[in-house]
Amino acid sequence: GAGVSQSPSNKVTEKGKDVELRCDPISGHTALYWYRQRLGQGLEFLIYFQGNSAPDKSGLPSDRFSAERTGESVSTLTIQRTQQEDSAVYLCASSLQGMANEKLFFGSGTQLSVL
Amino acid sequence: SQKIEQNSEALNIQEGKTATLTCNYTNYSPAYLQWYRQDPGRGPVFLLLIRENEKEKRKERLKVTFDTTLKQSLFHITASQPADSATYLCALDAGNDYKLSFGAGTTVTVRA
């Protein structure tokens, strides 16, 4: 596609349920990132993929969070047993090679609300 | 600890004036610094990148400076327009090759 696509755009769930968030990066981009943005706050790094591997998972807040990427394309972020503090916008971004001098292309995010 | 601090107050300016935003950082040694624009309900959009050996970079009505001694970047929007109203985020490389760390952003409102 022309840009980074995320789905769903909004997700409302009950505390304790599992959710899956999807990201379709720009075709040909080997680097993929997940960030979390709480209301009024900056972007919090979660995980970085280079191809299908995740060399940096250091930002995942707990073992309830996991992510995978397949076919050097689509990525899924899974949150198990959701908690109210998980409510935030989850942003996915991609870049050509994952170099520090490259710009990131972001999707519009998934607004997650945990009731 | 590492910190990236942007103007904590929102910026309200009159159309035609220059908006100046600051980004200060602590315990980073970035080779690159980037600025992004974020509109409500949307993801950030890249605006400008400046390298550590560049003092200033311009793009149309935007100007960015980067002072590695002061550990500060300034972002200027000249001849501001209501369409410039948005939140502006600075981001810098966290010392490895791939990770960008972001500030919390400054919200700019340009009134006609």
Side-chain angles (χ1 to χ4, degrees):
Chain A
V4 177
S5 177
Q6 290 188 247
S7 61
S9 55
N10 280 284
K11 177 72 177 178
V12 180
T13 190
E14 293 179 351
K15 179 180 170 181
K17 300 283 190 185
D18 298 352
V19 296
E20 281 190 355
L21 312 180
R22 177 187 167 108
C23 173
D24 282 271
I26 292 173
S27 178
H29 280 194
T30 63
L32 187 146
Y33 305 78
W34 284 97
Y35 284 86
R36 177 167 72 177
Q37 187 173 32
R38 291 197 166 111
L39 192 63
Q41 298 188 20
L43 276 66
E44 177 187 358
F45 170 83
L46 297 179
I47 188 169
Y48 160 70
F49 285 93
Q50 178 56 245
N52 293 333
S53 301
D56 189 345
K57 306 179 184 180
S58 63
L60 294 178
S62 74
D63 59 9
R64 296 186 296 105
F65 288 72
S66 63
E68 66 172 12
R69 188 179 184 193
T70 57
E72 299 198 355
S73 180
V74 173
S75 176
T76 303
L77 176 68
T78 301
I79 309 173
Q80 296 179 309
R81 304 181 303 282
T82 52
Q83 303 293 313
Q84 288 183 331
E85 66 260 27
D86 299 334
S87 296
V89 175
Y90 289 82
L91 290 162
C92 175
S94 69
S95 70
L96 191 59
Q97 294 181 312
M99 304 298 289
N101 61 345
E102 292 174 354
K103 57 187 176 183
L104 297 188
F105 293 84
F106 283 87
S108 290
T110 294
Q111 172 73 63
L112 176 65
S113 300
V114 182
L115 304 180
Chain B
S1 62
Q2 292 180 318
K3 282 185 188 176
I4 303 172
E5 294 179 312
Q6 298 189 239
N7 307 55
S8 56
E9 300 288 329
L11 205 57
N12 291 288
I13 61 169
Q14 183 73 40
E15 182 175 10
K17 301 292 187 184
T18 296
T20 298
L21 286 63
T22 61
C23 175
N24 296 294
Y25 57 91
T26 308
N27 292 326
Y28 285 97
S29 297
Y32 307 97
L33 191 144
Q34 302 186 26
W35 284 87
Y36 287 77
R37 168 185 173 138
Q38 187 173 26
D39 291 284
R42 311 290 294 178
V45 174
F46 172 81
L47 294 175
L48 280 166
L49 176 149
I50 187 166
R51 293 174 171 75
E52 62 178 337
N53 60 354
E54 294 178 312
K55 297 297 183 188
E56 184 180 296
K57 195 87 169 274
R58 291 175 186 259
K59 178 183 175 183
E60 298 172 353
R61 294 183 294 106
L62 307 179
K63 184 178 87 170
V64 172
T65 62
F66 190 10
D67 189 325
T68 55
T69 301
L70 291 179
K71 297 188 183 298
Q72 179 181 79
S73 175
L74 298 179
F75 178 83
H76 306 271
I77 308 171
T78 59
S80 60
Q81 303 169 0
D84 295 326
S85 299
T87 297
Y88 293 86
L89 306 167
C90 74
L92 44 87
D93 70 276
N96 48 37
D97 284 337
Y98 57 84
K99 186 189 295 187
L100 277 186
S101 295
F102 286 80
T106 299
T107 299
V108 174
T109 302
V110 182
R111 57 184 188 279

